């Protein structure tokens, strides 16, 4: 068992598949690398795919620093349909006609107006805890619990295309921003409602999806090939952040 005795340390960029949680990816990699010292630098919902920054061995010390970096996403939101989770995994709670005069230009202008510093109310279907209980557990019981607003920053929110009521977009945002809530809030702003239909993370800080590998391909690599893919923490994280 050569892998069991290899000392893996560094950052691995993983292309997370749909329907996997971030914890699922970490658990799978613990089996592949034969080590418990694995974490990640920013959760992705099961619906989302794309870049998951995975920290191995001593790189786990960089978790808080790397989590604080801005993220970038490509996605699709669907106008006229509202769900209780604000994404495609939830139950439909409202449907509204999308008027013909809601042009792409109007949508793009509304997206542009959402850029900047602001406060966001996290969705009920989230892992945020209130009085020690995750919100999603209360949401499953049909409860709506008051949530504190969170300061966020949307650096860029722009349209990349439109197919009927499906709007393709690109967004850059700060740590802790719920992209599905951005989609939901845009729908409310436009007066027709909306939910997040698809999402793919393309960047996290200096890391991009171009450098990521699928779990399937990772599993097929030799220990030496895996080691060669590990990015050194010192090149991406100030030494003070590792203390």
């Amino acid at each position: 068992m050569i892998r069991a005795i290899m000392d893996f340390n560094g950052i691995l960029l993983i292309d997370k598949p749909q329907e996997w949680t971030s914890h699922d990816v970490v658990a799978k990699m613990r089996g592949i690398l034969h080590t418990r010292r694995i974490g990640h630098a920013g959760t992705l919902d099961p619906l989302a795919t794309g870049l998951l920054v995975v920290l191995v061995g001593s790189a786990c010390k960089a978790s808080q620093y790397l989590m604080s970096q801005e993220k970038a996403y490509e996605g699709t939101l669907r106008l006229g349909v509202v769900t209780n989770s604000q994404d495609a995994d939830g139950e439909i709670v409202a449907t509204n006609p999308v008027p013909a005069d809601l042009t792409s230009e109007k949508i793009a202008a509304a997206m542009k107006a959402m850029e900047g510093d602001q406060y966001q109310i996290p969705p009920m279907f989230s892992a945020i805890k209130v009085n020690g209980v995750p919100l999603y557990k209360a949401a499953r019981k049909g409860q709506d619990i008051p949530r504190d607003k969170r300061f966020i920053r949307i650096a860029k929110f722009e349209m990349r295309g439109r197919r009927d009521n499906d709007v393709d977009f690109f967004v850059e945002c700060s740590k802790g921003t719920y992209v599905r809530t951005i989609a939901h809030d845009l729908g409310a702003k436009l007066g027709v409602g909306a939910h997040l239909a698809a999402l793919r993370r393309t960047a996290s800080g200096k890391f991009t999806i171009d450098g990521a590998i699928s779990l399937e391909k990772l599993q097929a690599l030799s220990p030496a090939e895996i080691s060669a893919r590990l990015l050194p923490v010192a090149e991406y994280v100030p030494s003070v952040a590792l203390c």
Side-chain angles (χ1 to χ4, degrees), residues 168-185:
D168 299 325
F169 66 86
F170 173 81
V171 63
E172 288 181 357
C173 52
S174 59
K175 165 196 171 184
T177 302
Y178 285 90
V179 180
R180 50 194 162 105
T181 299
I182 294 176
H184 173 86
D185 290 350

